[in-house]
Amino acid sequence: MFSLFIDTTQNYCNLAILKNEQIIAKHSIKTHNNLTDIVVEHIDSLISTAKLKQKDINKVLVVVGPGSFTGVRVGTIIAKTWSLINNTQVFQIDSLLLQLPQGHGVSLLDAKGNNFYLGIYKNNKPIRPLGMISGEKVKTIIHKYPKQDIFIQYKSVNVFDNLLFHLEHFQIVKNIDNLIPLYIKEPV
């Protein structure tokens, strides 16, 4: 069984092909407001590198956000399109959980304008609703959860290692119409 992993929510377009839960090909490409121009090309290149055809992909694993407004939309649209064209199962995970190497800790992602998306998890489950906080409140959160490791903007983590750890935490999308981006804040 082959899976396609798509994470376009942050400053990198992270793509991988997995065979039986092992990564056999991967790309991580820094984006510069050119995501929509490059993502399909890099997916095609990745599939070619793995010596596969699109129809060989049985499952799509997509990160639904929060993150870049365009990136979140692009990833979910590709997953929906893939599912509809190829009758492929789609599984989703949020970017805040994916950032946590062991599924525990405080996860912060840049939401621009001195704001951060915030997720606090224990045993891969949020212990408070996902939300957004100002940069001034980050220290308060850190002091409120002193025993939790803090992860900010995927620094000191490997997204592909985290992918392998979180494979069982992706949730199946039973109805593809229910695959929606996780924005948290209103688009500008």
Side-chain angles (χ1 to χ4, degrees):
M1 176 177 279
F2 294 99
S3 303
L4 170 64
F5 168 70
I6 304 168
D7 178 11
T8 55
T9 63
Q10 305 305 311
N11 296 328
Y12 285 83
C13 173
N14 296 303
L15 305 168
I17 301 286
L18 294 88
K19 180 180 181 183
N20 301 325
E21 301 187 358
Q22 297 298 315
I23 295 172
I24 61 170
K26 63 185 177 183
H27 286 273
S28 185
I29 306 99
K30 180 125 176 92
T31 58
H32 303 281
N33 295 324
N34 62 345
L35 179 63
T36 53
D37 297 333
I38 67 166
V39 68
V40 173
E41 173 186 321
H42 283 286
I43 289 172
D44 288 343
S45 172
L46 190 67
I47 290 170
S48 177
T49 298
K51 296 181 173 53
L52 298 173
K53 293 182 170 67
Q54 284 188 5
K55 65 180 174 122
D56 295 327
I57 304 296
N58 310 97
K59 193 171 15 173
V60 175
L61 309 168
V62 64
V63 183
V64 295
S68 153
F69 178 73
T70 300
V72 168
R73 273 192 332 217
V74 167
T76 55
I77 288 169
I78 289 172
K80 278 184 175 185
T81 303
W82 200 286
S83 172
L84 293 169
I85 291 172
N86 299 304
N87 196 28
T88 306
Q89 286 185 308
V90 174
F91 294 77
Q92 68 181 9
I93 195 168
D94 73 72
S95 53
L96 290 161
L97 177 57
L98 183 67
Q99 179 176 218
L100 301 177
Q102 299 297 316
H104 305 291
V106 176
S107 182
L108 294 160
L109 295 171
D110 186 10
K112 308 289 186 234
N114 195 33
N115 292 306
F116 290 87
Y117 298 115
L118 170 68
I120 303 170
Y121 296 82
K122 184 173 183 178
N123 298 321
N124 304 297
K125 303 280 187 224
I127 59 174
R128 63 174 273 174
L130 303 182
M132 195 168 72
I133 62 167
S134 69
E136 293 82 29
K137 293 184 179 179
V138 169
K139 286 185 181 180
T140 303
I141 292 294
I142 291 170
H143 289 298
K144 191 172 181 180
Y145 298 93
K147 295 183 181 181
Q148 297 277 8
D149 291 331
I150 312 295
F151 296 90
I152 302 173
Q153 206 61 33
Y154 285 88
K155 291 181 180 146
S156 305
V157 298
N158 180 307
V159 70
F160 298 110
D161 290 343
N162 287 11
L163 163 64
L164 294 175
F165 174 80
H166 285 292
L167 283 174
E168 66 187 60
H169 305 120
F170 279 79
Q171 297 175 340
I172 190 166
V173 179
K174 293 180 181 174
N175 178 344
I176 199 62
D177 292 332
N178 294 333
L179 178 65
I180 56 172
L182 176 58
Y183 291 124
I184 295 183
K185 71 176 183 177
E186 292 296 315
V188 179

